[in-house]
Amino acid sequence: MTRSAAIELGQFLKTRRAELTPRSVGLPHSGATRRVPGLRREEVAMLAAISTDYYTRLEQGRMQVSEPVLSAIARVLRLNEDQRAYVFELAGRETGRSRRHEVQTVNPQLQRLLDDLGSIPAMVLGRQMDVLAWNPLAAALVGDFGQIPPEDRNYAKMVFSDRMKDLYADWEDTALITVAQLRMEVAHSAGSPRLTALVNELSERDPDFRRWWAARHVAARTVGTKTLNHPVAGTLVLEWDTLTASTDPDQQLVIWTAKPGTPTHDGLRILASWAAGSHQSAPGTAS
């Protein structure tokens, strides 16, 4: 575990500890005034059957942690599945994914799949939420990726742009989950200068990002629903799903779909017709 990962792990545990109360973890409430919110370090240590000194050094980023101890702490702090995966990656105890920082190119099989998805908006996200490839309908739906400089072709950065704030009817919910997903990338790409620069840029530029980043919420990309106010297709309520490439777990195909017969399904057909006659620079890949 790197020094930066150890510090982040400690800060994350401290944040989660502050969200709990003695009663929520089965401890009796004495009625005495508590100087700090949440559980005390000694209470977490007692419940996890470790010494207070050990846990204190862990929160201070001065301790390597074993898998059994981390499991016990995760249980005490009531971590959900995504939060548990996050701390295990930070601690280097999830070794299924290598931490690579080189430039990515889209998987050829995913590119062929994109090319065949004419009626479904789809794009490929890589490490740190970089947009690696997209199809014409995704460009028509979200924005013309081909007109964005490659170094800025990042979904998290796009979400905090003025255009996205107008496009997403549920922008705050979308932005919150985006921040949580980006924080998960901290564990996947620990020590990445690009990720550090991205977080610093968004923190300086947007007070909402700065506040949500400090909350240290995490989430994996799975499934969900987004509502868009599209200038061409109108209101679209889209279900999104994420498919991970078996040949490269660092690349995920994100698709937006709608049930046949719904106004959103009809809206996508209208958008596809509009995209076919427009000058969107898609399909494409990141250069």
Side-chain angles (χ1 to χ4, degrees):
M1 180 167 54
T2 65
R3 174 64 175 164
S4 61
I7 292 173
E8 171 57 26
L9 174 61
Q11 289 298 313
F12 184 80
L13 296 178
K14 182 178 180 180
T15 302
R16 299 285 80 79
R17 174 169 64 86
E19 296 175 341
L20 297 174
T21 64
R23 182 171 296 175
S24 69
V25 296
L27 292 176
H29 180 54
S30 65
T33 302
R34 301 173 72 90
R35 292 183 301 171
V36 295
L39 295 179
R40 298 188 179 100
R41 285 173 174 169
E42 56 267 30
E43 291 169 335
V44 176
M46 177 190 69
L47 292 169
I50 57 177
S51 71
T52 301
D53 179 66
Y54 183 104
Y55 182 76
T56 298
R57 284 185 287 156
L58 181 59
E59 277 200 2
Q60 292 173 344
R62 299 189 293 119
M63 173 65 69
Q64 299 285 331
V65 62
S66 67
E67 184 174 340
V69 169
L70 194 57
S71 292
I73 294 172
R75 172 182 52 79
V76 171
L77 296 181
R78 304 293 197 266
L79 300 188
N80 62 32
E81 184 177 345
D82 289 343
Q83 292 168 336
R84 182 183 172 88
Y86 180 65
V87 298
F88 269 69
E89 284 230 30
L90 284 174
R93 300 305 174 188
E94 184 279 336
T95 57
R97 294 178 60 162
S98 59
R99 294 179 176 178
R100 297 172 294 173
H101 299 159
E102 69 270 16
V103 175
Q104 283 182 288
T105 57
V106 65
N107 182 297
Q109 292 94 326
L110 288 182
Q111 183 63 63
R112 289 195 294 270
L113 181 57
L114 276 178
D115 294 340
D116 287 340
L117 289 175
S119 61
I120 296 175
M123 64 182 178
V124 177
L125 294 184
R127 291 187 299 273
Q128 303 170 34
M129 306 184 76
D130 287 334
V131 180
L132 302 182
W134 59 93
N135 66 2
L137 198 49
L141 179 69
V142 180
D144 193 351
F145 299 102
Q147 297 301 313
I148 300 173
E151 63 272 17
D152 293 329
R153 207 176 284 153
N154 178 277
Y155 186 72
K157 184 179 288 191
M158 291 176 65
V159 165
F160 282 87
S161 67
D162 290 339
R163 183 187 181 281
M164 288 292 203
K165 291 180 181 181
D166 292 335
L167 178 64
Y168 283 114
D170 52 358
W171 178 82
E172 184 167 318
D173 291 339
T174 295
L176 279 166
I177 193 68
T178 299
V179 173
Q181 291 168 352
L182 185 62
R183 182 164 282 284
M184 189 71 85
E185 293 293 337
V186 170
H188 296 337
S189 303
S192 165
R194 281 196 66 240
L195 181 56
T196 300
L198 174 62
V199 171
N200 289 341
E201 177 186 344
L202 291 175
S203 296
E204 292 173 3
R205 194 175 75 194
D206 195 290
D208 287 326
F209 179 90
R210 187 164 58 248
R211 175 165 51 89
W212 295 331
W213 187 258
R216 285 183 163 80
H217 296 302
V218 294
R221 282 195 294 272
T222 51
V223 297
T225 303
K226 295 184 187 299
T227 302
L228 280 65
N229 292 324
H230 197 276
V232 173
T235 300
L236 302 173
V237 181
L238 294 161
E239 297 175 355
W240 62 273
D241 204 343
T242 306
L243 309 174
T244 300
S246 59
T247 54
D248 185 354
D250 285 331
Q251 296 191 23
Q252 294 181 314
L253 178 70
V254 181
I255 60 174
W256 292 275
T257 61
K259 294 180 180 178
T262 62
T264 295
H265 188 263
D266 294 338
L268 285 179
R269 294 177 61 185
I270 293 171
L271 188 59
S273 298
W274 175 82
S278 71
H279 299 288
Q280 299 280 345
S281 52
T285 61
S287 59

